[in-house]
Amino acid sequence: MAMRAGAFWLILFILRVAAAQQLPGFDFKDAKTAEGWKANRNVTDLKATGEGLLLKIDGPDPFITGPARDYPPGVLLWLRMRIKSEQGGAAQVFYYKDGPREEQSVKAAVTAGEWEDLRLPLPALGKGYHLRIDPPGNGGKTIIARVAFEPRDILKAPNWPAPAAPTLKPDSPSMNVGQLELIHSSNELGGFVVKVAGEPMAIGGNHGLIGYVHQGKLKWIDLHRVAKTEANLGNGWIEARAAFTDEDGAEWKIAQAFSSSNGNFAIEVQTVVTTSQDRLVAHLPLLFLFPGADSFGEKKTQAIFPGLEYLDKDEPSSSEADIEGPGSKRQVPDSAKITVPLMSIAANGRYLGLIWQPSDRICAVFDSPDRLYKSGGHAMGLLFPGSDPTQRSEGNLMPGDGTMLRAKTLLSLRATIVGGSGQSAIPALWDYHFLNGLPKVPAAAPLSDYVRLGAAGWLDSKIGEQGLFRHAYPGQFNAHPAADAVVMMDWLAARCDDKALAAKLTEGSKSARARLANADWSSAVGHIRTPAPALLLGDANEAATRAGRHGWELLKRFSGDGSVKYEPAGLLDYGRTHFAKDANGLTANIVADVLDAGVFSVDRKLIDEGLLQLRALDKFKNTVPRGAQTWEIPLHTPDILACAHLVRAYTLGYQITGDKHFLEQASYWAWTGMPFVYLHNPAGKSIGLYSTIAVFGATQWKAPNWMGQPVQWCGLVYADALYRLAPLDPMSPWQQLADGITASGIQQTWPVGSDLDRQGLLPDSFMPRRQMRVDVCINPGTLQVPAARFYRQPPIYSFHDFMDLFVHVPGEVIKSEEDKGTLWLRVRPCTNSAYSVLICGFKQPPRVTINAAPPLADAVKFIKDDGRLILRLTGESSILLDDLK
């Protein structure tokens, strides 16, 4: 037997060596090898050296292309590249026959100034494939020592046995916790049923297989057949113990205990595995739930697998509606892509969720409906070994090789089953929050350091150009006048403890203000737009009039059913994979803008129209946030920016009307943003917690694949909406969640002096494993709006509703008192300059007192026809309004 196993291993080794010998390779220390490679115009020099191929880079898009080579068909590949870059950043390798495409590429982070040995997974290629290598950065030198290939093996999966409903008896061990009931077979590991609110919801994984590699041979253990299992009921807990010996003599023991968790509403599960001999394990199921199996089947109301899947009614997981190609296979993902360790399925007015303690040794399995095990329902489970992307191809239940489980060493998993009544999967997030809370907000720079960071972005980076500003750098972003940049520099100057830097900020603000023409106080470069520039720099009345006109123009985009239809702007139809012509994120953005325009202009008819469209948004109740980034992302794709727009729209609706329904909806949509936020540290590094995934999909369905790659500017727009909602929903977690997202944005920003072109700018995306910031770099304004609230400073702008009067402040109202016919306010501005407070909704002129004295004539302006009062103030001030009718 040993001879046959050894012969098998020898033959396998010979085959792998033969396959490797067929694979091309490029040793760039050889000048002849280097001659076959060509550079584009952003690589000014390309030559072979003793260290490898030297590239001198001078431009934003450098790359080199290689000659065509033949690869063995049907062989999955590892690409190995040794590289050193002066700038560091993301290296990208394209593989193609007829031209490079984003979807046919792989990326890796490269640390500046260090040799890196990259190992990147490639699909099977074939004859006549070229490589294109895009080195990191847009300047400096890069050396590529070699590029080589090797076969990428995957262990062969068996025909997975389908789980089945266990045989239960009247005396089978059972426990009731909250709305959950678990009934366990007395002699089957994983043989249990979970009921929710009295109805069967899921069965356990009672037909599991353990795979291990011994002397080069993959072997399988059928637990259902060989394990001797006994389950007993204790004092409020159930324990199942299984024991068996594999065919090579190792004794295995598996214990699984179910008990009531904290709060007595969920079931905690602890699984422990030991073996008497070392085992190279390829597949070991630790805990599985199959919702719908032997009950409601493959139907569902909603499902969430945070970071990867957010599914509406009966939508399949791992579909190509949001991403095509290998990236769509998300059944067994890289664990670093999971933002919250939770899986949840909702159906028939109930939900069931599985929460676990993250570990590098464990990976998650999610398939809805279950096409992996064919249970007839849905699959949620946890496996050993883990999901190291260099060992396991995403979506595959089998790794490339086994992982050692040492003899007499515990392998343990701690998980929690939650469930109850609910029309969506969101209550599972409530349970997660109740059990775990939110993680501590990451340490961010103190305010004084943040001021220097923001100042570096506005004054010293490539974002500014002689008083003009661009949205981002590098790329085709033209510099133009920007009123929000003026406000942001003034805000920083007011908090700067360095007199020289404060003077520099003031001078920068003056230069930017001088560039503003035709009173264009709405010009901006940030993603979060407010009327603060009009209140600080311009004519508030004119801005209010403009806002009203703009609001009426926006209303023309609505169809008769209250929706905003998606219309393709070019050849690519981003709506082709969506089941409707509209989406909540697309519509909610326009609804919020209409309401903003209505309350700033105090056009009551416009407000009423906006509220009518807001109520029409209720057709999306208990659904998935999606469709807010159709300039490059499919309409169907789940999207944190959609959450932001929905929260902002419903929050405004509640502020205007006091209707609790609007507050409830704002809260629901705030919860829908949580699956996009890393509530555990994805890579265990200093930056990662509270970073945000923008969409569960890819640009143009292809690439970049944004899952696992935070795009913080989208999260910061969501954080801004949360900050506005938090005071209205005081028992909520919204302020802490917004604080965490903002702190992560500060951490991700290029530090002062780290890169003179990028310092103080927010990266477009971030690589948690390598702690890499990725171009393009976004102007500081998107971060600065929520940062003002994070540091508990007066916000850039706030809106308040008192006694049916709408109050707009470039700062905040810190105190207020209301009485019959009288309103008293204490306002604090966000800058040190003079500012306007706009108060709208008057039917007749009020009597005004400012700082307990009659105001100067030029400090008060009342526009009778529009019912607007504009007060020109300096510093923190009190306002008393009398004779209100």
Side-chain angles (χ1 to χ4, degrees):
M1 182 71 180
M3 288 294 292
R4 286 198 296 271
F8 171 84
W9 181 245
L10 178 61
I11 291 170
L12 181 63
F13 175 76
I14 292 171
L15 290 173
R16 290 189 65 180
V17 170
Q21 289 174 344
Q22 297 178 42
L23 292 170
F26 301 94
D27 181 356
F28 289 121
K29 296 177 184 178
D30 182 345
K32 290 185 177 180
T33 300
E35 288 175 0
W37 288 75
K38 307 299 179 186
N40 78 333
R41 60 186 176 84
N42 295 133
V43 178
T44 59
D45 193 13
L46 183 68
K47 62 182 179 182
T49 70
E51 289 186 295
L53 191 61
L54 173 65
L55 293 71
K56 292 184 180 179
I57 300 166
D58 184 18
D61 187 26
F63 62 83
I64 60 174
T65 55
R69 290 288 185 266
D70 295 339
Y71 298 82
V75 177
L76 298 173
L77 299 172
W78 287 112
L79 181 153
R80 287 187 175 273
M81 180 165 63
R82 184 165 174 78
I83 184 172
K84 182 168 72 171
S85 170
E86 285 185 347
Q87 284 199 349
Q92 187 169 12
V93 180
F94 294 82
Y95 46 92
Y96 61 93
K97 295 182 73 173
D98 54 359
R101 292 188 291 273
E102 189 75 21
E103 62 270 21
Q104 291 183 308
S105 71
V106 287
K107 289 183 179 180
V110 176
T111 303
E114 296 181 11
W115 279 108
E116 296 273 11
D117 290 299
L118 307 180
R119 191 184 194 213
L120 306 173
L122 264 62
L125 300 178
K127 291 187 176 181
Y129 268 81
H130 295 263
L131 296 180
R132 170 180 141 175
I133 301 175
D134 293 27
N138 61 1
K141 298 177 183 178
T142 293
I143 300 174
I144 304 173
R146 62 178 177 270
V147 172
F149 296 88
E150 62 186 43
R152 179 163 60 93
D153 296 328
I154 296 177
L155 295 171
K156 186 177 180 181
N159 292 321
W160 301 107
T167 301
L168 301 175
K169 300 177 181 179
D171 61 348
S172 293
S174 66
M175 61 187 303
N176 289 274
V177 182
Q179 295 190 65
L180 292 169
E181 181 181 8
L182 189 143
I183 310 168
H184 205 294
S185 165
S186 60
N187 60 1
E188 257 187 318
L189 187 67
F192 58 84
V193 171
V194 178
K195 294 183 178 182
V196 176
E199 296 293 329
M201 193 74 179
I203 64 173
N206 60 345
H207 283 220
L209 299 180
I210 294 177
Y212 70 99
V213 179
H214 186 69
Q215 294 184 346
K217 184 177 181 180
L218 177 60
K219 300 185 177 184
W220 291 97
I221 304 166
D222 185 342
L223 292 173
H224 185 69
R225 184 175 61 84
V226 306
K228 295 181 180 180
T229 304
E230 183 177 352
N232 296 297
L233 178 66
N235 185 18
W237 50 266
I238 296 172
E239 185 177 49
R241 290 185 174 272
F244 55 91
T245 302
D246 65 36
E247 65 178 79
D248 296 297
E251 297 176 358
W252 295 69
K253 293 181 180 180
I254 303 176
Q256 197 162 64
F258 304 82
S259 60
S260 172
S261 73
N262 294 335
N264 201 37
F265 75 97
I267 296 174
E268 188 172 297
V269 187
Q270 185 145 6
T271 305
V272 178
V273 181
T274 59
T275 178
S276 64
Q277 298 178 23
D278 289 354
R279 280 292 174 260
L280 196 62
V281 178
H283 184 86
L284 172 55
L286 296 173
L287 176 63
F288 269 83
L289 297 175
F290 293 94
D294 201 45
S295 54
F296 57 84
E298 295 183 347
K299 297 289 185 181
K300 64 173 173 283
T301 305
Q302 198 176 88
I304 298 177
F305 187 20
L308 296 132
E309 304 277 12
Y310 204 147
L311 306 172
D312 246 331
K313 183 178 180 181
D314 297 335
E315 287 186 313
S317 63
S318 292
S319 80
E320 294 197 335
D322 308 305
I323 182 170
E324 296 173 351
S328 67
K329 306 304 180 186
R330 288 162 275 173
Q331 293 100 329
V332 191
D334 179 354
S335 293
K337 293 182 178 179
I338 301 170
T339 56
V340 184
L342 163 72
M343 297 175 269
S344 179
I345 296 283
N348 297 340
R350 295 168 175 81
Y351 72 94
L352 186 72
L354 180 61
I355 300 166
W356 68 97
Q357 187 70 36
S359 167
D360 290 342
R361 308 186 76 193
I362 294 166
C363 66
V365 180
F366 181 85
D367 204 20
S368 175
D370 173 21
R371 293 146 295 186
L372 295 172
Y373 301 99
K374 299 179 175 57
S375 66
H378 312 266
M380 303 191 305
L382 299 162
L383 284 176
F384 174 86
S387 64
D388 183 341
T390 65
Q391 293 296 325
R392 183 190 295 274
S393 297
E394 288 195 78
N396 204 312
L397 283 166
M398 298 299 297
D401 203 349
T403 297
M404 185 61 69
L405 181 61
R406 293 295 180 187
K408 300 178 183 179
T409 300
L410 295 181
L411 170 64
S412 62
L413 165 71
R414 192 168 186 175
T416 306
I417 300 171
V418 297
S421 300
Q423 299 301 317
S424 74
I426 287 296
L429 280 169
W430 300 345
D431 293 342
Y432 178 88
H433 180 255
F434 181 85
L435 290 168
N436 298 281
L438 291 178
K440 185 179 179 181
V441 173
L447 176 60
S448 58
D449 287 349
Y450 171 73
V451 167
R452 290 175 178 82
L453 184 68
W458 290 117
L459 300 173
D460 302 323
S461 76
K462 288 285 190 178
I463 217 73
E465 183 179 293
Q466 297 179 344
L468 302 178
F469 295 87
R470 49 181 59 86
H471 169 68
Y473 166 84
Q476 302 302 312
F477 299 95
N478 294 324
H480 58 81
D484 61 343
V486 178
V487 172
M488 300 300 172
M489 285 186 279
D490 285 344
W491 188 94
L492 293 168
R495 286 152 187 84
C496 187
D497 55 10
D498 181 330
K499 291 183 179 181
L501 181 57
K504 190 177 176 182
L505 282 162
T506 301
E507 187 59 34
S509 172
K510 288 179 180 178
S511 175
R513 184 168 183 172
R515 291 286 198 157
L516 299 175
N518 301 320
D520 185 12
W521 313 116
S522 62
S523 60
V525 290
H527 289 100
I528 303 170
R529 308 296 173 90
T530 77
L535 297 170
L536 285 162
L537 312 173
D539 184 331
N541 183 56
E542 181 185 0
T545 301
R546 285 187 184 186
R549 290 197 298 263
H550 178 61
W552 284 107
E553 285 297 314
L554 288 173
L555 282 173
K556 295 178 182 178
R557 296 188 59 181
F558 289 89
S559 59
D561 63 357
S563 63
V564 175
K565 305 296 186 186
Y566 166 74
E567 297 291 343
L571 296 177
L572 199 59
D573 179 4
Y574 286 107
R576 66 175 172 81
T577 57
H578 193 40
F579 49 76
K581 294 294 185 183
D582 64 329
N584 48 37
L586 180 68
T587 303
N589 186 32
I590 309 303
V591 172
D593 284 350
V594 169
L595 291 173
D596 268 333
V599 297
F600 198 69
S601 65
V602 76
D603 185 331
R604 292 290 179 180
K605 290 183 179 179
L606 180 59
I607 292 170
D608 288 344
E609 288 293 328
L611 291 172
L612 184 67
Q613 306 304 341
L614 179 62
R615 291 189 173 91
L617 278 176
D618 283 355
K619 76 173 185 176
F620 297 109
K621 185 178 180 180
N622 290 325
T623 62
V624 173
R626 53 177 30 127
Q629 301 188 57
T630 51
W631 57 86
E632 66 176 77
I633 301 294
L635 186 67
H636 181 272
T637 303
D639 186 346
I640 194 175
L641 204 58
C643 307
H645 298 331
L646 286 154
V647 172
R648 183 164 66 98
Y650 277 109
T651 299
L652 272 167
Y654 176 66
Q655 287 180 283
I656 295 166
T657 66
D659 187 337
K660 290 293 182 65
H661 168 73
F662 291 149
L663 182 60
E664 291 168 359
Q665 287 303 297
S667 179
Y668 170 81
W669 292 112
W671 281 104
T672 67
M674 198 173 281
F676 297 85
V677 184
Y678 274 108
L679 299 185
H680 76 104
N681 197 321
K685 303 293 180 68
S686 59
I687 305 175
L689 199 60
Y690 284 104
S691 58
T692 57
I693 301 304
V695 295
F696 297 167
T699 294
Q700 298 180 0
W701 292 279
K702 300 289 186 180
N705 176 353
W706 295 112
M707 289 173 279
Q709 189 161 344
V711 177
Q712 205 66 7
W713 78 258
C714 293
L716 290 165
V717 179
Y718 170 62
D720 177 66
L722 294 181
Y723 276 129
R724 299 186 191 202
L725 174 60
L728 309 174
D729 191 12
M731 299 302 292
S732 71
W734 308 138
Q735 180 162 301
Q736 185 176 347
L737 188 60
D739 281 348
I741 294 168
T742 307
S744 182
I746 296 167
Q747 290 182 321
Q748 291 179 42
T749 297
W750 264 279
V752 175
S754 62
D755 183 318
L756 298 183
D757 292 346
R758 293 165 173 78
Q759 57 184 322
L761 305 183
L762 181 73
D764 183 67
S765 64
F766 187 79
M767 294 182 174
R769 273 201 175 98
R770 299 302 300 272
Q771 301 287 281
M772 287 289 183
R773 300 167 174 89
V774 180
D775 281 340
V776 297
C777 332
I778 297 169
N779 72 88
T782 301
L783 172 59
Q784 195 170 332
V785 174
R789 297 182 188 266
F790 172 78
Y791 286 106
R792 306 299 186 257
Q793 297 295 303
I796 304 296
Y797 162 78
S798 62
F799 162 68
H800 309 265
D801 183 358
F802 299 107
M803 300 172 64
D804 290 329
L805 296 174
F806 299 148
V807 180
H808 304 272
V809 186
E812 63 186 337
V813 175
I814 55 175
K815 291 182 181 179
S816 65
E817 293 179 10
E818 301 175 39
D819 200 357
K820 187 176 181 180
T822 302
L823 174 63
W824 179 84
L825 304 173
R826 185 81 180 170
V827 296
R828 180 179 293 157
C830 68
T831 71
N832 291 335
S833 59
Y835 63 100
S836 295
V837 171
L838 173 63
I839 307 176
C840 308
F842 293 99
K843 296 179 181 177
Q844 64 181 40
R847 187 172 64 195
V848 180
T849 303
I850 297 176
N851 294 327
L856 298 175
D858 60 355
V860 178
K861 183 177 181 180
F862 186 76
I863 297 89
K864 182 177 180 181
D865 291 345
D866 299 309
R868 298 175 192 150
L869 174 68
I870 300 171
L871 305 177
R872 195 67 179 164
L873 307 171
T874 302
E876 186 175 314
S877 300
S878 63
I879 303 166
L880 178 63
L881 305 177
D882 286 322
D883 297 335
L884 301 179
K885 295 181 181 179

